[in-house]
Amino acid sequence: MRSIKMNLIRLVTMIALLAPMAAAQSTSIYIEEGPIDSMDHRMINVGDSAIKLGPNVKVKYPGKKKASLSDLKVGNYVRAHVVIYRGGDFVDKIEFISAKPPSNY
């Protein structure tokens, strides 16, 4: 009986120690920068990359406190912050840079 209790305690301890590692999803962030080629309510095409929009996309637009996706137009030069979550790429934040691409683009 004592060995069963000891094994059970060890098992519960291992699960408790390993559970946070199993629950944590690895997330990485990268930046895509370029003109908006196309955009709809699910995806945005920045430069050469088509990326899904995350559920809570934040838009930074100069002069507007509460900017939204409707403020962005095709052809605008933007910086998209992309998060890799559970194997998928999602746009988390979009920063408006200029209405036209910079001259060195």
Side-chain angles (χ1 to χ4, degrees):
M1 186 71 171
R2 181 179 165 108
S3 99
I4 293 173
K5 283 183 181 179
M6 225 30 195
N7 285 338
L8 187 59
I9 289 172
R10 286 181 184 147
L11 178 65
V12 170
T13 304
M14 277 182 31
I15 290 172
L17 291 174
L18 295 176
M21 291 180 1
Q25 295 293 322
S26 90
T27 56
S28 301
I29 297 175
Y30 67 93
I31 294 176
E32 271 303 322
E33 192 171 305
I36 298 174
D37 292 329
S38 64
M39 181 174 65
D40 62 23
H41 67 281
R42 291 174 293 159
M43 295 190 84
I44 186 168
N45 193 342
V46 177
D48 294 334
S49 301
I51 313 160
K52 293 178 189 174
L53 296 173
N56 299 319
V57 176
K58 295 171 188 72
V59 178
K60 289 185 128 188
Y61 197 92
K64 290 196 173 194
K65 281 191 173 186
K66 294 193 176 193
S68 67
L69 289 171
S70 62
D71 295 321
L72 301 173
K73 308 287 184 242
V74 172
N76 288 159
Y77 195 81
V78 297
R79 180 178 297 131
H81 297 257
V82 182
V83 176
I84 302 170
Y85 181 72
R86 292 189 177 182
D89 295 6
F90 300 94
V91 176
D92 182 50
K93 181 170 66 171
I94 301 173
E95 294 178 57
F96 175 85
I97 296 177
S98 68
K100 295 180 181 175
S103 59
N104 62 350
Y105 181 72

